Amino acid sequence: MMLKTLARVPPPSLLVHGWSGSSAVNNTSSARGGACVGARSLSATWTLCAKAREVQQRRALSEKKLTRYFVDYRRVKLVAGAGGKGVCSFHSEPRKEWGGPDGGNGGDGGNIIIKANHLVKSLAQVAPFYKGEDGQAGGSKNCYGRNGGATYISVPIGTVVKEEGKTVLDLSQNTQEYLAVFGGSGGKGNRFYLSNENRAPTTATPGLQGQERVLQLELRTMAHAGLVGFPNAGKSSLLRAISNAKPAVAAYPFTTLNPHVGIVKYRDHEQVAVADIPGIIRGAHLNRGLGVSFLRHIERCRFLLFVLDMSAPEPWTQLQHLRYELDQYEPSLSKRPHVIVANKMDLPAARANLGTLKSQVAQRVIPVSALNGQNTEELILHLRELYDGYLQREGDGTATRW
């Protein structure tokens, strides 16, 4: 009776896929096996009618979310592995009554090594505490304990290792390693103390504890040029215009919350790295605003690009404040090779301020517009001149390394 009802009123899915009522009746008039075939067909049709799943595309992370993954400072406590203890044991074997001592030494504790890796871009994966692997205890029959394996901490290139505020090492090359803490030595078994005077020593020493240190890891962006300017001066837009970087751009201050590095490529396959340093405000050397946490990124730049907002009432005062903040953080930091970039020249107020700016400063001023790409070619060419000049001084041995 149920099959006949199904035959009179076929489901909509059967009609959509070409099923008719007569075919359903034929299935009902057949044997029991035929009814099972109809049931299988019915379940298959419902699968065909199921809604196709949409492929979920991965959305790009916003600037606010990216800041959670970018960490440029870590304070880590390192404790190396302890050595394994030695064993007091005597050889026991039939028909060998005086076998003598056979206690083995313990294994050494594992070291902790900090290693630079070009694939790591942030200190976010660095934990605040590391404990090295302990060495195993010795055994009887003169068996030595296994040494503890080394623990590696991968950090980005350009990480500075400090201890109590003093620089210990600068990891500036890929695969460069620094042995931070040494593992403890393994203890000695009683076999070690065997001598002609003492043929049955019972002395066994425990392993030594590993070395402990508290280090500060600071990441300084390694770039040839650094864009320095007040918030909303157009640094991110300028980096977009001259390089392949895609930092966030918006019409409010502090759009950039972490440094971005873009690569400017030339026809001779030379590449110049340009870093967008987050906006500096007055009193940044006193840890105001983003503070000194991002001022230290400027230390690694070979030359600087002072980006000024020409639409401001007196843009030349911005240059004075920027130089003051840099010199207060580190003396003579603003005296490095630099160029003044007069940005936002597409605005009417900027054209009137350009002549006054050139009369106020003695350095070269390059007027550009990051919005429409006006005169960015001159900036790119001058950037190459600064880069070639640094390479020439480096070849002569007169270049200053930061």
Side-chain angles (χ1 to χ4, degrees), residues 98-221:
W98 308 102
D102 64 349
N105 300 336
D108 297 335
N111 305 326
I112 298 181
I113 301 174
I114 302 176
K115 184 177 182 180
N117 188 351
H118 69 283
L119 299 178
V120 181
K121 303 302 181 182
S122 173
L123 297 175
Q125 303 298 328
V126 178
F129 177 77
Y130 284 91
K131 177 67 171 65
E133 183 180 354
D134 296 335
Q136 290 185 353
S140 59
K141 299 181 181 179
N142 297 322
C143 292
Y144 282 30
R146 185 175 61 87
N147 296 333
T151 302
Y152 286 88
I153 304 176
S154 297
V155 297
I157 298 178
T159 301
V160 179
V161 182
K162 292 186 176 182
E163 185 176 14
E164 297 181 356
K166 298 181 180 179
T167 301
V168 178
L169 184 67
D170 185 0
L171 300 175
S172 58
Q173 298 180 358
N174 188 31
T175 68
Q176 185 177 357
E177 297 181 357
Y178 172 62
L179 207 163
V181 287
F182 292 90
S185 301
K188 304 301 182 181
N190 62 338
R191 173 71 181 183
F192 177 81
Y193 297 99
L194 178 63
S195 63
N196 293 332
E197 292 77 13
N198 189 2
R199 304 303 300 173
T202 58
T203 303
T205 59
L208 300 179
Q209 295 296 323
Q211 186 182 7
E212 294 186 14
R213 294 178 72 182
V214 177
L215 300 177
Q216 296 84 34
L217 304 180
E218 294 184 3
L219 174 60
R220 299 176 182 175
T221 303

Side-chain angles (χ1 to χ4, degrees), residues 285 322-335:
H285 67 281
L322 289 173
R323 287 176 173 173
Y324 176 77
E325 295 298 331
L326 295 183
D327 291 337
Q328 289 298 316
Y329 174 73
E330 181 181 338
S332 69
L333 180 59
S334 64
K335 296 181 181 179

Side-chain angles (χ1 to χ4, degrees), residues 287-340:
N287 210 18
R288 296 176 182 175
L290 296 178
V292 299
S293 60
F294 291 104
L295 274 174
R296 61 171 171 262
H297 291 284
I298 307 176
E299 298 181 30
R300 305 299 296 275
C301 298
R302 277 74 168 177
F303 36 89
L304 306 177
L305 304 179
F306 290 101
V307 183
L308 305 181
D309 183 5
M310 297 302 294
S311 62
E314 296 180 352
W316 48 88
T317 59
Q318 300 180 16
L319 182 61
Q320 299 175 1
H321 293 304
L322 289 173
R323 287 176 173 173
Y324 176 77
E325 295 298 331
L326 295 183
D327 291 337
Q328 289 298 316
Y329 174 73
E330 181 181 338
S332 69
L333 180 59
S334 64
K335 296 181 181 179
R336 293 184 183 181
H338 63 273
V339 63
I340 301 173

Side-chain angles (χ1 to χ4, degrees), residues 270-289:
E270 192 68 59
Q271 297 182 358
V272 178
V274 182
D276 176 16
I277 310 299
I280 302 174
I281 65 173
R282 297 181 184 179
H285 67 281
L286 301 175
N287 210 18
R288 296 176 182 175

